């Protein structure tokens, strides 16, 4: 395997009712929090009340910033940063899905720097991100995920969209590692069917991207990855059929964290081309990240992986979907079918047309993916350099 440095400093509190300890946990990091949430779910589900009760019991002051939209926008982050500065907050708490957690991390950075977050977005036209990343200064962050999907709760990345330029990409840096993550699976009982499924596909994709593109002599990581993928497949349908099945929710939540905390890809490396292709879709059409990944995955496997690393896809099929074909090429076809079948069972199988994408935009989006995700190279990194033409073929393959 490759040499690696692994640093996962986030202190994780996992289990039933851990959310009730929020006040006591965050007190170590600050006295006045900006509490960052999405626009409605935390109020409807009662998770916001739980956090507020716990903050009050621990005498931690807070200001609520409840304006984060899915696919969080740079303008909203900048507003949060301004409020954090004006209110002299010394801590950021994120309560919500990946969008609230990512926005909270970005707010923690701009609250200190006073800059616009769009300047930091990796791959953007201004080029400023080259100087500003990695982010080394931010207010302390504590995350409380309410949706199992992104793994943002314990990693140092965030994904922000500049809606004006349609640039959606990541920011990252050591200062964005949350100090603590409070993982209470019961907070995810209320996640609707569609987001439960999209979240499952997101964590599955985090797992297969490095597995497909990274170093092939990292068997420990490969087996960790396969085990985590088996858990997603085993528990996603249960969580959809029985939303308050604790066992299913706890396994999904912990898998989502482990999938993107650095462990699976340490020593294996790898790149995330499907993510780059998806970010352009959600930047242009504001669709759910996991849904976009579900649409693109079969096409990526058919057009790229089936040719470049059929043995990896065959191994995934055998280890995760009980594919039996002993010949790799037969196993590859069976694996793609099995993945599509799983997406159908959990209700995420979809097409670009069905989520509202216009065919006339595919060419532009393929070029934009390479511009933003290619970081000036003119292609995406993967098992081979992926050009705009190839991305266009992938988009067309799953258009309708
Ligand atoms: O916005 P509110 O009102 O809170 O409702 C949300 C939203 O409508 C709702 N929801 C969340 N928890 C709920 C709930 N509804 C009922 N009960 C609950 N317990 O679900 C909807 C989707 O939420 P969102 O946060 O947008 O979803 P997700 O967690 O999938 O996050 C997606 C964002 O994360 C980025 C994506 O690109 C996207 O912008 N990613 C972040 C990553 C990271 N930081 O490491 C990696 C990922 O690859 C991903 O790119
Ligand atoms: Zn993702």
């Amino acid at each position: 395997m490759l040499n690696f440095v692994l640093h996962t400093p986030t202190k994780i509190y996992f289990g039933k009712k851990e959310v009730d300890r929020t006040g006591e946990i965050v007190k170590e990091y600050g006295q006045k929090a900006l509490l960052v949430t999405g626009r409605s779910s935390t109020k409807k589900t009662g998770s916001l009340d739980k956090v507020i009760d716990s903050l009050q019991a621990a005498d931690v002051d807070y200001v609520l910033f409840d304006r984060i939209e899915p696919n969080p926008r740079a303008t909203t982050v900048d507003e949060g940063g301004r409020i954090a500065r004006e209110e002299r907050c010394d801590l950021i708490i994120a309560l919500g899905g990946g969008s609230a957690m990512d926005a909270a991390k970005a707010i923690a950075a701009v609250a200190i720097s006073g800059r616009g977050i769009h300047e930091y977005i990796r791959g953007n036209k201004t080029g400023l991100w080259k100087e500003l990343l990695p982010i080394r200064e931010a207010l302390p962050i504590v995350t409380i995920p309410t949706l199992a999907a992104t793994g943002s709760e314990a990693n140092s990345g965030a994904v922000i969209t500049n809606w004006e330029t349609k640039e959606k990409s990541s920011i990252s840096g050591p200062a964005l590692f949350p100090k603590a993550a409070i993982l209470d699976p019961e907070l995810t009982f209320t996640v609707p069917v569609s987001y439960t499924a999209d979240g499952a596909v997101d964590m599955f994709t985090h797992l297969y991207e490095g597995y497909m593109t990274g170093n092939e002599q990292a068997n420990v990581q490969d087996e960790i990855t396969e085990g985590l993928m088996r858990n997603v497949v085993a528990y996603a349908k249960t969580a959809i059929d029985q939303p308050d099945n604790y066992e299913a929710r706890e396994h999904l939540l912990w898998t989502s964290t482990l999938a993107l905390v650095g462990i699976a890809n340490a020593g294996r490396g790898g790149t995330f081309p499907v993510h780059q292709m998806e970010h352009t879709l959600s930047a242009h059409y504001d669709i759910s990240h996991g849904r976009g990944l579900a649409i693109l995955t079969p096409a990526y496997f058919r057009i790229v992986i089936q040719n470049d690393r059929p043995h990896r896809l065959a191994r995934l099929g055998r280890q995760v979907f009980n594919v039996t074909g002993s010949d790799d090429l037969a196993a590859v076809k069976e694996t793609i079918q099995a993945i599509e079948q799983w997406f159908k069972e959990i209700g995420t199988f979809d097409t670009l047309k069905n989520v509202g994408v216009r065919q006339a935009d595919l060419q532009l989006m393929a070029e934009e993916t390479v511009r933003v995700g290619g970081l000036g190279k003119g292609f995406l990194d993967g098992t081979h350099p992926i050009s705009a033409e190839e991305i266009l073929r992938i988009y067309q393959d799953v258009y309708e």
Side-chain angles (χ1 to χ4, degrees):
M1 73 181 82
L2 308 170
N3 291 11
F4 65 87
V5 176
L6 178 63
H7 182 59
T8 58
T10 303
K11 189 165 177 179
I12 292 173
Y13 298 79
F14 189 99
K16 246 177 217 176
K17 313 284 179 224
E18 287 295 310
V19 68
D20 297 337
R21 296 173 58 194
T22 300
E24 155 209 337
I25 291 167
V26 304
K27 221 175 168 158
E28 196 180 320
Y29 309 109
Q31 291 307 310
K32 182 172 181 181
L34 187 76
L35 176 52
V36 179
T37 73
R39 291 185 287 207
S40 66
S41 77
T42 63
K43 295 186 202 83
K44 286 189 201 142
T45 62
S47 61
L48 181 60
D49 285 340
K50 286 183 187 164
V51 168
I52 289 176
D53 288 350
S54 176
L55 292 177
Q56 286 172 340
D59 271 334
V60 177
D61 206 359
Y62 72 93
V63 176
L64 179 63
F65 185 64
D66 57 357
R67 280 180 243 161
I68 308 303
E69 58 282 278
N71 299 319
R73 296 185 186 187
T75 45
T76 314
V77 166
D78 291 345
E79 176 70 357
R82 188 185 58 75
I83 293 172
R85 275 197 306 280
E86 277 174 15
E87 295 281 347
R88 299 183 183 282
C89 296
D90 57 4
L91 164 73
I92 308 287
I93 302 175
L95 173 69
S99 296
M101 292 189 283
D102 285 2
K105 290 174 174 176
I107 289 170
V110 295
I112 290 195
S113 73
R115 305 183 80 110
I117 197 69
H118 68 278
E119 297 179 355
Y120 294 76
I121 297 175
R122 190 172 266 114
N124 82 57
K125 264 191 195 122
T126 67
L128 280 167
W129 56 277
K130 289 178 197 159
E131 293 158 36
L132 297 174
L133 299 180
I135 296 171
R136 300 198 183 280
E137 254 197 317
L139 290 175
I141 302 153
V142 173
T143 53
I144 312 174
T146 63
L147 198 167
T150 62
S152 182
E153 56 271 15
N155 67 38
S156 61
V159 182
I160 302 297
T161 302
N162 182 345
W163 190 248
E164 282 69 42
T165 57
K166 302 276 184 276
E167 290 168 321
K168 179 179 183 185
S169 189
S170 62
I171 62 170
S172 59
L176 301 191
F177 271 116
K179 300 285 181 214
I182 303 170
L183 275 56
D184 186 331
E186 287 183 345
L187 298 183
T188 67
F189 281 0
T190 51
V191 178
V193 167
S194 64
Y195 285 118
T196 301
D198 292 352
V201 175
D202 191 20
M203 55 187 111
F204 181 73
T205 309
H206 295 158
L207 291 161
Y208 82 62
E209 292 249 52
Y211 183 90
M212 291 301 165
T213 58
N215 180 280
E216 295 199 67
Q217 271 75 48
N219 195 54
V220 172
Q221 289 83 338
D222 288 345
E223 294 202 6
I224 290 172
T225 303
E226 289 158 0
L228 292 171
M229 288 196 274
R230 278 195 292 274
N231 269 275
V232 185
V233 176
Y235 288 107
K237 185 74 168 59
T238 313
I240 285 167
D241 293 342
Q242 304 161 36
D244 52 2
N245 182 310
Y246 185 82
E247 189 189 342
R249 293 295 191 182
E250 70 175 349
H251 281 86
L252 287 179
L253 185 57
W254 188 221
T255 300
S256 71
T257 309
L258 287 174
L260 210 56
V261 75
I263 292 171
N265 285 340
R268 190 172 60 190
T271 56
F272 276 55
V274 186
H275 270 70
Q276 313 284 4
M277 293 179 226
E278 194 296 309
H279 285 162
T280 316
L281 298 180
S282 44
H284 284 249
Y285 284 98
D286 211 9
I287 62 171
S288 153
H289 171 60
R291 182 59 53 103
L293 296 172
I295 295 171
L296 297 174
T297 293
Y300 170 69
F301 285 164
R302 274 192 290 269
I303 291 171
V304 177
I305 299 301
Q306 180 169 295
N307 295 315
D308 286 1
R309 291 197 176 174
H311 51 286
R312 299 293 287 177
L313 195 46
R315 176 172 165 170
L316 187 159
R318 293 187 185 111
Q319 297 299 325
V320 181
F321 292 97
N322 300 320
V323 161
T324 50
S326 54
D327 159 53
D328 275 358
L329 281 178
V332 159
K333 294 209 164 32
E334 248 187 89
T335 304
I336 296 172
Q337 276 170 8
I339 291 171
E340 287 183 331
Q341 183 56 34
W342 176 52
F343 289 173
K344 284 176 187 162
E345 276 166 20
I346 61 175
T348 52
F349 188 77
D350 217 331
T351 63
L352 290 179
K353 187 177 182 185
N354 196 45
V355 295
V357 175
R358 284 181 298 271
Q359 198 152 20
D361 287 348
L362 298 184
Q363 172 83 40
L364 170 73
M365 292 198 302
E367 287 164 10
E368 283 293 282
T369 299
V370 162
R371 180 180 68 79
V372 181
L375 306 181
K377 294 191 298 285
F379 56 82
L380 291 185
D381 287 321
T383 43
H384 66 255
I386 302 176
S387 64
E389 292 72 39
E390 197 167 3
I391 296 168
L392 180 60
R393 274 202 283 136
I394 290 172
Y395 287 159
Q396 283 167 338
D397 187 67
V398 285
Y399 185 71
E400 55 186 329

